Structures are given as structure tokens and as C-alpha cells.
Amino acid sequence: LDCQLYGLNPGGHHSTNLIFHVINTMLLFLWLRQLTGTLWRGAIVAALFAWHPLHVESVAWASERKDVLSTFFWMLTLLAYTRYARESKVQSPKSKVFYGLSLLAFACGLMSKPMVVTLPFVLLLLDFWPLERFSRFTFHFSRSNQPSTLNPQLSTMSAVRLICEKLPFFALTLAASVATYFVQTSGRALWSPDVLSLSDRVANALWAYDRYISKTFWPVDLSIFYPHPYHWPPVLAIGSALLLALWSGLSLWRARQNPYLFVGWFWFLGTLIPTIGLVQVGSQSMADRYMYIPSVGLFILVVWGFNDFLNWRPHWRRITTFAGGVALAGCLVGTEIQLSYWQNSIKLFRHAIEVTTDNFVAYTCLGETLSDLGLKKEAMMLCAEAVRIAPNSPVAQYNFGMALLQNNRLDEALAHLDAAARLAPHNSEVQYNFGLFLLLHNKPDEAASHFAATLVERPDFAEAHCRLAQALSQQHKSKEAIFHYREALRLKPEFPGAKAALDQILSANPNLKAEP
């Protein structure tokens, strides 16, 4: 739809992201207003959501449409579920309608981005506070002056009832999780335990939680990519685990007195689980975009916490109000600064190199950008640095090989392109381009094997069929060459040169004309 509206004009695609972000902010405010009946607290949470620098990546990166789109459906689900919970209290027939709408919106959210699989658990948190649906079944109030007592049987029934109510949501969560796992596995995006052990993944997850918290409260040194170090010092993992355990224990202890602590904290912890790295997808250790939904939990915790503090210490109201205004203004300034890095690829990846260590992805992408601009020597130096940092990265090896090729260093280019092909046997782009390099340098035998590997991954790649036919023809394997020329023409009837090459082989081998 965007391409039909805007073509390839980037401004249109970015404007759609921005529109969704504005709508998400408004929906968040309306939901908090409906849910808690508060005005200013909901407005401050919405303002933090709208202006926080951590959210720049989700909005400014056009291909991160899935973040703002999935959050749009996330907020619609919460709005519909809140109405359902309110209507069900009075046993209104409208409750079923709102339940169905919430389930439909959740399904749309899952189709936008699987990260929203945690939403059913958030609904259970909201049942605790502020909907207080658990208390309707959990606590038995005595008619005497004795304090209320807990009825274990009623408590069990309450939890079971509320969980059973979410079973359709959990079914969608399970289906989306299984589908995502198989897609990522088939796409070979998951890291194997041989590359990253379970202990390393747990350590990174624990430390990432602390880094997310620190960047929420002090959003500096934000980067489009945070390289994974593979091994974190044990002291960082242990310290992070203790801090998370301390806050979790405090939230549980104060759950009755300050339920927003419990809900906000476990909203943050829970919604990050799909992307925290326990199942490692990609080579990043964390990402700003993953905080688009989880940050709402921290914002609620902080804003409601400050409100309670002011009720306890009202004479601090002016100072606290001033501090809140400074924080919001700081978010605006930080967002403006962060946006300046997203003006072009050179600024973006140079900034990533400045604020991170050994960021081979940033070096690779910056080198590729400079290469496109014709700055071949500078590009080659950056790609060389990427290979030094990550010699086992097929992308780094491939880009360095292409940079060497552009600088006419053919023997060195061959070595690095070969390394890329060995490291990425299932990457069709790497296999095809390396095969093309070999074919152009009179090595048809080796080229044919790489074109064949390309076709294993992309059997409908017409160009690969044509190049494989060319390589086979040079090896005098006419029968096989004819087959692949015909496949290329079947997939792309107007393929330039393929028809002439096929006719030439058939003229030289008239006995093969009748064979399919």
C-alpha cells in the first residue's frame, strides 16, 4: 500500500511510521485514562513514550514498521480488553463483543510482529491492577471487625478462571511462537549452542536487562547495532541477577500496597523475554527497538511511584514537578540528537562505531556505503577492520572481498570471497556472486558448484540457472547446460542472451533438440 501511495519516495514511508507512532501515543493515553481514571499520570506516560530517544529506531527506521504496527494492535487489544473486563462485571452482553475484538486485534498484532506473544501475560497483570479482577474472587471479607482473610479455595478458582479466560490468547501465542521458531530455524537465523552456550546466553540476557534499564533512565550512546561479545565477565552477570532479583522481590513484597510496582516491573521483564537473547536470533546483544513496548512498564512504575511519593511528601511537589519537566525536555533534546544520526547511513554507522566497541557490522555497513559512493580505498580499509574484528563473519569477508575486487587486488579478493562462501554455504547471494567471480576469471568448474549451491536455496533464481548453464557449457556438458538455459527462460522468458545461447548449443548438438 505504501509503495502504491508513495512509490520509492522515502519520505512517505517514514511519514507512515510517524503517523502510527502518534496514534500509538494517543491510544496509550486513552487506554490509561480509561483504565485508571487519571489524566496527568497517563499524559506523562504517553509523553515519555512519544519522546523517548530509545524509540527513535522503531520510528525512523522505515523497515521497523512492524514495531509501530504491532504496537498499534497491542494498544487496540488493551482498549478492547479493558472494556470487556468492565462490561463483564455487570454481565453485559457487550462483553462478548469486546472480548472478540480484543482477540482479533491480538491476532493482527501477532501477524505484524511475533514479539507481542507476551500480551496474554500482560492481561493477567492488568487483572491484578488496576482492573482488580483477582480481588473479586480472592479475598473473603468477614462481617466482623476482623481483618479480611484469604480463602485458598476461592483463590485457586479465581486464578483458574482468569487463566481459562485467556486460553484463546494463549493458543494464538503458542501457534505464533512455534511458527516463528520454525521460520527462524529454516532461515538459519538461530545461533547454535556450539557458537553460543546456554550460560553465555543467560549472562547476556541478565546484563541486557540492566543495560535496557540504564538506557531508559540515561539514554546516551544509543546505537543501531550492539555487537555480541560472546562472553560477558561473570561479575556482570551475577551483579545483574542480584539487582533483578532485588527489584523483583521488592515488587512482590509491595504488590498489595503499591500494585503498580508489581505490574510495571513484570510488564518490563516479561515483554522483553522473546528478544532478550535466551533464544539468540541475529548477532546483536540487544537493540533499542526491542524497548518500544517494554518501556511502557517502566514509565508506569516511575510515574505512579512519583505520585505516591508526592502524596507522602507534598512539600516536594514543586521540585518533583520541575524535575519531571526537565526529564521530558531532556527526552526531547535526546530524541532530536538521536534523529540527527539517522539522516544518512554515513552518520548512522560512524556514530555506532564511536559509541560501541568492535562493531564489525557498523564497519561493514559503512564500508559498503562508502563503496557505493565511489570511495573505494576508504571502503576497503573499513571492511578490512570488520574482518579483523570478526574473521568468521561471512558478510564481513564477502564485503572485504568485493572491496578488494574494486581495488583490482584479485588474488586477495579471491581468498576472502572463498572464505565467505565457506562460512555461508546457504547464503544464495554470497554463493551466486562468488560463482560469478569465478566464472569471469575462467574457473567454470568451481563456479558451477557455487551456482548449484545457490539454486538449492533459490530454485527459481533465473540468473543462477543461466550462469550455471554458461559454466556447464564451458565444461562441454551440453545436456545439463540446455536444461538450465530452458529453466532460466521458463522463469524469465525475456532473459537477455539466454535464448541465443540456448540456440547456439542446440545448433551444435542437434541430437539434443528433442530432449526435454
Side-chain angles (χ1 to χ4, degrees), residues 100-420:
L101 289 174
S102 64
L103 193 62
L104 176 62
F106 177 50
C108 292
L110 288 172
M111 289 188 284
S112 305
K113 187 177 183 179
M115 185 178 173
V116 301
V117 292
T118 55
L119 197 148
F121 301 95
V122 171
L123 298 182
L124 286 171
L125 288 176
L126 299 177
D127 284 338
F128 176 73
W129 179 88
L131 292 173
E132 297 181 347
R133 301 181 73 206
F134 275 98
S135 61
R136 293 168 56 205
F137 306 101
T138 301
F139 295 100
H140 172 70
F141 293 90
S142 172
R143 293 184 180 179
S144 66
N145 292 327
Q146 298 296 322
S148 59
T149 58
L150 184 68
N151 186 320
Q153 184 179 2
L154 290 176
S155 174
T156 303
M157 288 175 60
S158 168
V160 169
R161 176 173 175 173
L162 291 173
I163 291 173
C164 287
E165 179 187 75
K166 312 294 187 300
L167 286 180
F169 291 89
F170 284 117
L172 288 177
T173 288
L174 178 62
S177 300
V178 171
T180 302
Y181 178 80
F182 280 111
V183 167
Q184 297 289 6
T185 302
S186 63
R188 299 178 177 88
L190 298 181
W191 283 25
S192 69
D194 297 335
V195 177
L196 200 63
S197 67
L198 177 61
S199 60
D200 291 329
R201 282 178 276 144
V202 170
N204 180 73
L206 292 171
W207 180 230
Y209 269 120
D210 280 5
R211 294 169 75 194
Y212 281 126
I213 295 171
S214 67
K215 288 186 181 297
T216 299
F217 290 96
W218 191 248
V220 297
D221 294 344
L222 304 182
S223 173
I224 187 175
F225 183 83
Y226 299 93
H228 202 300
Y230 295 91
H231 302 287
W232 289 106
V235 65
L236 291 179
I238 294 171
S240 300
L242 290 175
L243 182 60
L244 294 174
L246 177 64
W247 269 103
S248 298
L250 177 63
S251 300
L252 289 168
W253 177 54
R254 299 293 300 179
R256 288 284 302 279
Q257 294 84 357
N258 308 106
Y260 58 81
L261 285 176
F262 175 82
V263 172
W265 177 249
F266 285 100
W267 174 312
F268 162 70
L269 285 185
T271 53
L272 265 176
I273 286 177
T275 56
I276 200 62
L278 295 175
V279 178
Q280 185 66 35
V281 179
S283 54
Q284 72 283 342
S285 63
M286 59 180 289
D288 296 347
R289 59 188 177 275
Y290 294 156
M291 276 295 284
Y292 195 67
I293 289 175
S295 61
V296 175
L298 292 181
F299 297 154
I300 290 173
L301 184 155
V302 170
V303 172
W304 261 258
F306 268 106
N307 183 74
D308 274 9
F309 176 78
L310 291 177
N311 290 336
W312 180 49
R313 289 287 188 272
H315 56 279
W316 283 62
R317 184 172 297 276
R318 289 185 178 179
I319 297 176
T320 307
T321 303
F322 176 76
V326 170
L328 288 174
C331 283
L332 277 174
V333 172
T335 294
E336 181 67 24
I337 293 172
Q338 191 63 19
L339 277 171
S340 68
Y341 302 128
W342 284 84
Q343 299 302 311
N344 56 66
S345 296
I346 294 177
K347 288 184 178 180
L348 184 63
F349 292 114
R350 276 185 175 159
H351 174 69
I353 291 170
E354 291 171 1
V355 300
T356 58
T357 303
D358 291 340
N359 197 330
F360 72 95
V361 170
Y363 278 107
T364 299
C365 293
L366 182 57
E368 189 174 359
T369 301
L370 294 180
S371 177
D372 292 340
L373 295 174
L375 303 174
K376 298 178 181 179
K377 290 187 178 180
E378 295 88 336
M380 186 177 66
M381 293 172 61
L382 290 164
C383 292
E385 181 65 13
V387 169
R388 184 195 67 79
I389 296 168
N392 291 324
S393 167
V395 176
Q397 290 282 3
Y398 173 74
N399 281 5
F400 186 35
M402 296 302 290
L404 289 166
L405 190 60
Q406 290 182 348
N407 283 274
N408 297 316
R409 295 167 63 170
L410 301 184
D411 292 338
E412 295 173 82
L414 176 63
H416 289 282
L417 290 173
D418 180 60

Side-chain angles (χ1 to χ4, degrees), residues 439 462-474 477-493 495-506:
L439 185 63
E463 285 80 359
H465 279 289
C466 188
R467 294 299 184 181
L468 177 55
Q470 188 178 347
L472 292 168
S473 179
Q474 291 182 23
K477 297 179 179 179
S478 301
K479 185 175 181 180
E480 294 91 334
I482 290 171
F483 170 79
H484 286 287
Y485 273 130
R486 283 175 171 164
E487 278 296 296
L489 289 167
R490 182 183 66 82
L491 294 166
K492 196 174 181 180
F495 200 109
K499 183 68 168 62
L502 176 60
D503 290 341
Q504 184 177 357
I505 294 180
L506 290 174

